[in-house]
Structure formats: structure tokens, C-alpha cells
Amino acid sequence: GAAKQPKQAVQMGCCASKTGTPVKASTTRTAAPPSHELLAGRDTVLSAAQLSDSIAQEVVSTRAAQLNVPERLTLGLSVDAIEEYIAALPADAVEQCNRAIPRKGGKPKFPANAALNGYVNQWHIARRSEADGGKAYCETLYERGDPGVGVATVFVSWFLETPLATLVDALRQYLRLHP
């Protein structure tokens, strides 16, 4: 019979950490590119989407190695991992960020955030990075062996005022349309 098919793990690009923050080489990636034997179908059965994603991961990893790009800069988060991050934010995440807006002449330098959006995310990610010694969130998860982090196969550019829930919905829609 056919072997169990591996779960597809599309990863969205992650913010980079401070230069020089190493990723532990001993950490095993759950979304690692398969061997050539696996790609040839000798060890398991892959769907076209899984094969395409596996090839994309291998291309990213190979190209990064050729260009001497640090492995940490190839990491990304799955949509599930992004949702878990959002769910773990404090209930007053927007208010915390708004209170931290710098002032100029007694007035806020930037408009207050009306929702949990990319600006609020950036502020909280920066606090987390400081607490984690300058590492990006995906690096920290990677070092823990979290299955929600792996080689990024999709890059997402978005307007930071967009609510995070809208971003996640758009990512899920994309994945449904591009299996």
C-alpha cells in the first residue's frame, strides 16, 4: 500500500532578526525539503501540491546556500502558527502599542491604532525579540522544534494598517485557491 502522505506545510516569510543571531544547527525542521529519493516517489506518495511545495523549499534552501544567506533568513511561519501568535497576544495589545507611541510637542507622532493590525504586531514582535536576545519570532519557534516554522515558500507584503484577522483570512483564501 501507499505510505502516509506528509502534511503540506506552506510557510509565510518571517521578519529577520539582528545580524549574527545563530540558529542552532541541531534543530530538525519539520518542513525540510525531502531527499531526491523521496521526490522520485520511492519512499512515499506525494500530491502535486506537496511535491510543488517540497521543490519550492528545496529551491529556497539551495539558493540561500549558494548566496551564503544565513539559514535564519529562510524561515517562515505557517498560517496556523500566525493564528496561534495572534491568539496569544494580550487582550490590551492595541492599547499597549498606542500608549507607546512617541510624542512630539506633546502630541502623538503617529495616529493611534484602531485595531489589532500590522503596526501593533510590529510593536509586540519587537518586544518579544528583545526578550529573546534579538531573535525573530520564527527563530525562537524553530529552535524549540515547533512544527509551525520551516523554510518560507511564500512571501507576503501587506499594508500594515490591515487588521491581522483580515491578513489571516486572505492567507487562508490564497491557500484554498492555490493548493
Side-chain angles (χ1 to χ4, degrees), residues 10 12 153-154 168-179:
V10 173
M12 308 300 161
T153 56
V154 175
V168 169
D169 181 58
L171 295 173
R172 292 252 181 241
Q173 291 289 341
Y174 174 84
L175 293 175
R176 273 194 287 280
L177 294 171
H178 302 88

Side-chain angles (χ1 to χ4, degrees), residues 160-171:
L160 293 176
E161 204 168 297
T162 304
L164 295 179
T166 302
L167 171 67
V168 169
D169 181 58
L171 295 173

Side-chain angles (χ1 to χ4, degrees), residues 39-150:
L39 289 174
R42 294 184 193 138
D43 296 331
T44 191
V45 176
L46 295 173
S47 71
Q50 290 164 329
L51 182 59
S52 176
D53 189 54
S54 295
I55 292 170
Q57 291 173 27
E58 187 169 317
V59 168
V60 169
S61 295
T62 301
R63 185 77 171 132
Q66 289 171 344
L67 296 171
N68 293 319
V69 173
E71 183 181 34
R72 65 187 169 78
L73 297 181
T74 67
L75 299 176
L77 299 175
S78 68
V79 180
D80 288 341
I82 294 169
E83 285 184 317
E84 289 169 14
Y85 162 78
I86 294 168
L89 287 171
D92 66 340
V94 175
E95 293 78 15
Q96 285 182 30
C97 179
N98 286 341
R99 282 193 301 268
I101 294 173
R103 300 199 166 266
K104 186 173 183 178
K107 297 181 180 182
K109 194 172 176 182
F110 308 109
N113 296 287
L116 185 58
N117 61 29
Y119 294 113
V120 175
N121 173 61
Q122 281 186 334
W123 188 81
H124 282 279
I125 283 286
R127 308 293 78 74
R128 187 178 293 242
S129 177
E130 290 167 5
D132 289 338
K135 294 177 188 164
Y137 180 60
C138 53
E139 284 180 276
T140 301
L141 292 180
Y142 178 78
E143 289 180 355
R144 292 181 193 156
D146 190 293
V149 64

